[in-house]
Amino acid sequence: MATEQPRTLTGEPGGLATLARAALPAVPGLNRLPGIRKGPARDFTGLSYAREAVVVERSRVDAYAGVCGFPRRDVVPVSFPHLLAFPLHMAIMGDPAFPYAAIGMVHVENTITARRAIGIGEALDVTTSVAAPRPHARGVLLDFTTTVAADGETAWESTSTYLRRGRSVDGAPTPGLTLPDPPTGGVEWRLPADLGRTYAAVSGDANPIHLHPLTAKALGFPRQIAHGMWTLARSVAAIENRLPEAVTVEVAFKKPVLLPGTVRYAARHDDAGWSFAMANPKDGSPHLLGRADPA
C-alpha cells in the first residue's frame, strides 16, 4: 500500500477534465511537459487519494439502479460505491507520480466486499490507494484498493485490478480468479448501441472506447464496448434479491462486449454462494466470470 498520507480531493471531482488529465501522458509531445510527464516505473512505490464526507444522493443512486437493473431501494446497490471511488482512480492515474497513462490500462478483475448496507443520504469517506506494480505475463498489474467508511467504520471495500501491457517487474505472476465450471444456458440480453453513453452519464466514466464507433476505432476496437463495471453490476442485479447484506463479489473481465450486441447470462447457486457468467451466445466465449459469496 501507499505509505504517504492520502491527497484529498475536494468539491465534485471527475468528469471529462479528470479523464483528460489522466489521458494526456499518452499524447506524444504533451507527455514531456512539466506536470504531465511521468516518472520512471521503477521508482513508483504507491499513491493514495481521498474524498471526505461524500453524500449518497438518491437521484444518482436511482439513475444508476435504472441503468444497471437494480430495484430502487433506500440502500445502494452493492456495486454503486465504485462510482464514488472512480474519480480517485482517475486522479491517481493523472498524477505525475503514477508512472503509467490511463490510456492503455485494462481493467481485468474486480473484487467488492460489502460489510453492511449503505443508506441513501449517508456521508462517506472514500480512500483509494495503489501500491507498486505486480508481475504479469503480459506486463504489470496494479491494484487500486478502495475503502468506504462512515463514522470511522469500514462499510465497503474493493480492489480494481488493471493490466498495463509492456515490460514486467521481478517476481512470479499470481493466478487471478478462475471459475473451472462456469454456469451455462440462462437468458439472453440485447444491449443497445448507446449503453456506453447511458452508463457514462450515471457513472462519470466517459472513456472514449465506450461512447461511439469512431472514438472506439481510434483506440483499437471495431466499435464501442460496454463498461466492464456495467457487466459486473448487471450480473449482480440479476441475483441481488438472493444475496446477503454482507457479501463478497469477485469478477474477472474476459472478452469485451461490443455494442450493440447480445450476451447470455447464467447463474448457479452452490454450498458456498453464487457463480455467474456472461458469455457470447454464439460460441460461449466468456465476457465475464464471477462469484458472490457471504462475506
Side-chain angles (χ1 to χ4, degrees):
M1 300 296 292
T3 56
E4 64 179 43
Q5 284 293 107
R7 305 178 186 185
T8 302
L9 295 185
T10 58
E12 186 58 35
L16 290 176
T18 302
L19 288 169
R21 285 194 299 272
L24 284 176
V27 180
L30 293 180
N31 57 11
R32 297 182 179 274
L33 296 176
I36 297 176
R37 183 175 59 246
K38 295 289 193 176
R42 64 178 179 273
D43 295 338
F44 181 70
T45 58
L47 194 59
S48 184
Y49 271 78
R51 303 175 66 193
E52 297 177 350
V54 182
V55 176
V56 178
E57 299 176 348
R58 177 175 292 278
S59 59
R60 191 177 188 194
V61 174
D62 286 352
Y64 175 82
V67 171
C68 299
F70 289 99
R72 287 166 170 78
R73 302 169 59 197
D74 289 333
V75 296
V76 308
V78 66
S79 51
F80 175 82
H82 176 80
L83 272 60
L84 309 181
F86 182 71
L88 302 178
H89 288 217
M90 291 296 98
I92 288 173
M93 292 184 192
D95 194 301
F98 185 73
Y100 308 101
I103 293 178
M105 299 280 284
V106 182
H107 196 178
V108 292
E109 291 192 355
N110 210 96
T111 299
I112 291 170
T113 296
R115 301 296 180 189
R116 64 163 177 84
I118 294 174
I120 302 293
E122 281 200 63
L124 305 170
D125 296 325
V126 186
T127 304
T128 297
S129 301
V130 61
R134 299 189 284 120
H136 186 273
R138 290 178 290 169
V140 296
L141 296 174
L142 294 123
D143 297 315
F144 284 63
T145 301
T146 296
T147 300
V148 174
D151 298 323
E153 294 188 0
T154 299
W156 187 94
E157 301 167 273
S158 77
T159 298
S160 299
T161 300
Y162 296 90
L163 168 65
R164 180 71 188 197
R165 292 185 176 93
R167 180 179 297 178
S168 191
V169 293
D170 293 338
T174 56
L177 174 69
T178 59
L179 211 60
D181 182 27
T184 57
V187 297
E188 290 191 4
W189 295 332
R190 293 189 176 184
L191 310 183
D194 66 350
L195 175 60
R197 297 189 292 276
T198 305
Y199 183 80
V202 300
S203 68
D205 184 353
N207 188 324
I209 63 175
H210 304 302
L211 303 182
H212 298 280
L214 288 178
T215 56
K217 286 179 180 178
L219 294 170
F221 294 91
R223 59 184 189 271
Q224 68 269 35
I225 64 173
H227 292 74
M229 288 303 294
W230 180 88
T231 66
L232 181 157
R234 186 65 187 90
S235 296
V236 174
I239 54 175
E240 185 262 354
N241 63 346
R242 288 166 280 184
L243 298 179
E245 182 177 292
V247 65
T248 294
V249 176
E250 300 176 86
V251 304
F253 303 111
K254 299 297 185 179
K255 293 185 177 181
V257 178
L258 297 174
L259 300 173
T262 300
V263 297
R264 180 175 292 144
Y265 173 81
R268 181 178 63 234
H269 188 263
D270 57 34
D271 292 340
W274 287 87
S275 58
F276 51 89
M278 185 181 289
N280 184 318
K282 293 182 179 180
D283 60 14
S285 58
H287 296 297
L288 172 148
L289 301 173
R291 285 203 58 86
D293 303 307

